[in-house]
Structure formats: C-alpha cells, structure tokens
Amino acid sequence: QLQLEESGPGLVRPSETLSLNCSVSGDSISSNHWTWMRQPPGKGLEWIGHINYRGSTNYNPSLRSRVTISVDTPKNQFSLKLSSVTAADTAVYYCARAISPWLVQDYWGQGALVTVSS
Amino acid sequence: DIQMTQSPSSLSASVGDRVTITCRASQSISGYLNWYQQKPGKAPKLLIYASSGLQNGVPSRFSGGGSGTDFTLTISSLQPEDFATYYCQQTYTTPQTFGQGTKLEI
C-alpha cells in the first residue's frame, strides 16, 4: 500500500524558507511524478508543482521564483523549499503521487500545516 | 491559467437523493478532468479521473462525464458519508487548477 508522509517545521518566520520533506513507501520515487499542493485554511487547493522520475520539474508560475522541488532517490523521498515566505503562504501542504498519462494525484499524504508568523 | 468554475458552490440534499455538480473550464481541456472529495481535516480523495474513470475502491454511485469544457459529477443515491466538499481539477496543462469547491450539506 502506497503511503506518503510530510514532515518539517510547523512554524516559519516571515522572509525565511519553508522546507518540507515527503517520505514515500510502497512505491519507488524513481517512477511516476511527485507533486506538492497546498490549501490555505478554509480555502481551496493550489498546485505548487511536480517533479518526475528524471528530476525534471514543473512549477506554478505564481510561485516559480520562490519554489524548488527536488528528489532524494536513496531516501525515497522528495522535498519542497519555498523561499521568502509571508503570511499568505500559511497553509496545509500536501505531497502526492501523480500518475501518467493524466498526471492525476491518486495518493496523498495526510498534510502538514505550516504557519508563517513571527 | 485555465479557470475552473464549479456550480453550485453549496448544495443541501438528503440521504437517497441524486445530485449533480457541474464544472466548467475556461477553455477546452479534452477529458483531463478529475474529481476529488474532501472531508474536514483530511486530504482530498480521488473519485473520478479522466472525466469518467472510477478510481479503485470508489463506490459505483459516483459517476462522471463530459468533455471539452463542461463536466459533471453525479452521485446517484446520497449516503451519509458523502457529505463533504467536492473539487474538480484539470490536468490538461500546467499549472494544474482546481474549481473553488462545492460543499454538499445535509
């Protein structure tokens, strides 16, 4: 059974970098696409970006200048870094697997709430 | 970006009712339309992929349809566990985008 689990600090100071990891079990990180999404409290879902098994990335243009998604194949995990955060980046962050050819997210982590506050 | 518009934004229904939620894309997305169910405090759950494909383990009372710009999610006979928020999502092109959600209430 595929499982994904987000981990990282729950509180980040404004202007600093948000960092999250997603540990994957039950599938190889060297296959499929791997996605980060977020959901501000009480609001809808936003696609942040994804990385494929070759390490090729695709980011939301609204965040592209601040976001980096990378893969750590030996650890079977992938990560998200979002720089220069503000209160508007406060959200539940989800990692998910996206399967071809539709790139639909079929398995999700439980989500990690990250609050940006001083 | 492709804009996804769901209607209605909220819906009141009863157990046993048949309900339909619609999703409209701002441009053609072929059949690259997915539906998710989300309950409070939980991650979204994939129900329907590629407009009409039923995800493994999802009850057959859920069905989807449409192509191009207009899509529907139908629940044939509402069960108590179906009261949740539903989102459509296009994966035709990046950035992937979601509808604003439809809250289904008792």
Side-chain angles (χ1 to χ4, degrees):
Chain A
Q1 175 76 355
L2 175 62
Q3 290 187 316
L4 300 94
E5 184 173 6
E6 304 89 351
S7 61
L11 179 65
V12 181
R13 306 298 184 193
S15 80
E16 296 187 345
T17 296
L18 179 159
S19 295
L20 292 171
N21 290 320
C22 181
S23 297
V24 178
S25 59
D27 192 10
S28 170
I29 202 79
S30 299
S31 61
N32 294 303
H33 287 68
W34 304 94
T35 305
W36 286 99
M37 302 276 199
R38 70 180 182 178
Q39 185 172 37
K43 296 187 178 181
L45 294 156
E46 181 179 30
W47 178 82
I48 298 172
H50 62 223
I51 189 166
N52 70 11
Y53 55 92
R54 298 192 189 95
S56 177
T57 54
N58 198 324
Y59 300 136
N60 193 318
S62 68
L63 299 169
R64 182 175 289 137
S65 64
R66 300 193 291 130
V67 67
T68 303
I69 298 174
S70 59
V71 166
D72 186 335
T73 302
K75 292 184 178 179
N76 214 47
Q77 65 183 31
F78 63 109
S79 64
L80 169 70
K81 292 188 185 300
L82 183 65
S83 64
S84 304
V85 297
T86 70
D89 295 309
T90 294
V92 175
Y93 286 76
Y94 295 101
C95 60
R97 184 180 76 170
I99 54 172
S100 297
W102 307 102
L103 290 186
V104 59
Q105 287 77 27
D106 63 341
Y107 282 89
W108 296 59
Q110 81 281 4
L113 174 63
V114 179
T115 301
V116 178
S117 175
S118 56
Chain B
D1 299 4
I2 296 177
Q3 306 302 313
M4 307 301 294
T5 304
Q6 287 180 234
S7 61
S9 296
S10 63
L11 176 61
S12 294
S14 301
V15 173
D17 284 353
R18 178 185 179 91
V19 299
T20 297
I21 299 169
T22 64
C23 180
R24 175 164 288 177
S26 60
Q27 65 186 74
S28 177
I29 57 171
S30 186
Y32 286 75
L33 191 283
N34 313 303
W35 290 97
Y36 294 89
Q37 176 194 69
Q38 188 178 32
K39 296 182 178 180
K42 300 295 187 181
K45 173 187 175 183
L46 178 64
L47 301 175
I48 301 288
Y49 63 92
S51 181
S52 60
L54 189 66
Q55 175 66 355
N56 289 342
V58 174
S60 59
R61 63 181 180 271
F62 291 91
S63 63
S67 66
T69 61
D70 294 309
F71 300 87
T72 59
L73 171 70
T74 298
I75 310 172
S76 61
S77 178
L78 276 173
Q79 299 302 300
E81 60 268 28
D82 299 338
F83 292 94
T85 300
Y86 293 83
Y87 293 95
C88 63
Q89 175 207 31
Q90 67 81 18
T91 55
Y92 179 72
T93 188
T94 57
Q96 297 181 359
T97 48
F98 291 85
Q100 79 280 14
T102 294
K103 188 173 184 179
L104 181 52
E105 300 174 299
I106 299 175

